Amino acid sequence: MSDLSIHCNSCDESTPWQTSPNLAKKGKSFDVNRRAVYHSIETGSGYDGLSSFCAIMNMPCLSRAAYYKQVDVILEALEKVLDYHVMSKSCRKCSLKNSQCEGNVEEFEEWRREHVASGDCDINFEGSSPAMEAEGASVLWNRSIELHNMRYKWMVSDGDSKAFNTVQHAYDDCEVIKLDCVGHVQKRMGKHLMNLKACSKGKLADGKPIGGRGRLTEGKIKQLQRYYGLAIRQNTLTKANPSEREVDIAVYAMKKILLPFSITV
């Protein structure tokens, strides 16, 4: 943000002018800074990426402390939840009472019946965790029209398709579309590399181990995760039905980002 002054030669008056509005009621928090921080979050570049960009453009950059203050403000604004449904397979009060009964099953069951009847028990689901996610998604999607008069068209997924399969055809005239979370995608890639590193014993074809200095270390894996996520974010296709050539071009662009890094590993 810059402070400028507009001067009129006719009336000899000056008017101060800022290149970016101040968003804070108290103190200073300029719009351009918040937009820059939000862009760094969306692209996955973070503070280091923003700092590098500002250095290249010969511009001053926010301090790290100021950057994370902006991050907190942005995340707080994004936390507005339209609907939620809590599901639990455990109850703290039940666990505490069970330990107090010291194995007296009859005493615990008698107490639990009253506890459940009162509506204080947190347990509202029995089954596996994936099944619980699917049930929770079904509850949210099936009441969206009744509560908010809207359809949830997209589902941001962590890669597990069980919950998505439950809601894909929740509406008669609108099919739900699955979107994979880039953060989870790059996390899974890093997990697979860590497993590969742990399972690879002995030396590779070049006579060296997979890990060690200049090899596939945990630091390199984390760095590759960031590059991988950045490559996806920078080349995501926004068209609903991209052509095969457009997909090939996007994939090629991703490989160009990752190739220099993979050579140095």
Side-chain angles (χ1 to χ4, degrees):
M1 197 282 300
S2 299
D3 287 314
L4 304 178
S5 178
I6 301 175
H7 181 77
C8 178
N9 293 329
S10 299
C11 60
D12 199 29
E13 291 187 1
S14 298
T15 301
W17 180 63
Q18 294 179 332
T19 57
S20 178
N22 186 9
L23 302 177
K25 295 180 180 179
K26 294 182 179 180
K28 294 182 179 180
S29 181
F30 295 101
D31 179 68
V32 64
N33 292 340
R34 187 163 301 174
R35 291 177 182 273
V37 172
Y38 184 61
H39 177 268
S40 72
I41 295 173
E42 284 293 299
T43 59
S45 59
Y47 178 77
D48 292 337
L50 179 61
S51 177
S52 176
F53 172 78
C54 290
I56 293 172
M57 299 300 294
N58 195 24
M59 299 188 306
C61 184
L62 289 81
S63 67
R64 191 175 291 271
Y67 174 86
Y68 283 105
K69 283 184 179 179
Q70 294 284 4
V71 170
D72 291 339
V73 173
I74 293 170
L75 293 180
E76 183 179 351
L78 294 175
E79 286 178 354
K80 295 180 179 179
V81 178
L82 187 64
D83 190 13
Y84 70 93
H85 181 64
V86 179
M87 303 190 71
S88 175
K89 297 191 293 181
S90 63
C91 175
R92 187 173 179 274
K93 292 181 180 179
C94 288
S95 300
L96 180 61
K97 183 63 178 180
N98 191 27
S99 63
Q100 292 174 347
C101 290
E102 297 180 347
N104 191 329
V105 179
E106 292 183 1
E107 179 185 353
F108 173 72
E109 288 298 330
E110 182 179 354
W111 173 88
R112 188 174 183 277
R113 281 192 292 269
E114 296 179 359
H115 176 59
V116 173
S118 66
D120 291 335
C121 186
D122 294 332
I123 299 175
N124 59 2
F125 183 81
E126 294 182 1
S128 65
S129 295
M132 182 167 64
E133 291 182 5
E135 177 65 21
S138 178
V139 170
L140 295 177
W141 258 259
N142 287 330
R143 69 186 184 191
S144 68
I145 297 178
E146 178 184 353
L147 293 182
H148 308 293
N149 195 29
M150 66 171 59
R151 297 171 177 82
Y152 303 148
K153 186 176 180 180
W154 296 279
M155 180 180 193
V156 180
S157 174
D158 60 358
D160 188 358
S161 61
K162 294 183 178 64
F164 171 70
N165 292 338
T166 305
V167 303
Q168 184 178 6
H169 302 290
Y171 311 118
D172 295 333
D173 54 349
C174 176
E175 184 173 331
V176 179
I177 299 173
K178 178 185 176 186
L179 301 177
D180 281 316
C181 171
V182 177
H184 280 86
V185 171
Q186 66 184 72
K187 182 180 178 181
R188 289 200 303 271
M189 189 273 291
K191 181 180 179 181
H192 289 314
L193 286 178
M194 291 293 289
N195 291 338
L196 175 65
K197 183 175 180 292
C199 296
S200 299
K201 306 298 182 181
K203 297 181 179 180
L204 302 181
D206 61 357
K208 298 179 181 179
I210 192 172
R213 184 179 179 85
R215 308 287 284 182
L216 189 63
T217 61
E218 290 188 19
K220 287 291 185 181
I221 291 175
K222 291 180 180 179
Q223 189 177 6
L224 182 56
Q225 274 185 297
R226 292 195 295 271
Y227 273 83
Y228 187 58
L230 183 62
I232 296 174
R233 290 183 176 95
Q234 289 183 342
N235 297 281
T236 300
L237 297 175
T238 57
K239 291 178 62 177
N241 297 298
S243 65
E244 185 175 342
R245 175 166 175 75
E246 288 173 327
V247 173
D248 290 340
I249 292 174
V251 172
Y252 175 73
M254 293 181 193
K255 290 180 178 179
K256 283 185 66 177
I257 294 176
L258 293 173
L259 186 60
F261 175 82
S262 62
I263 292 175
T264 60
V265 172

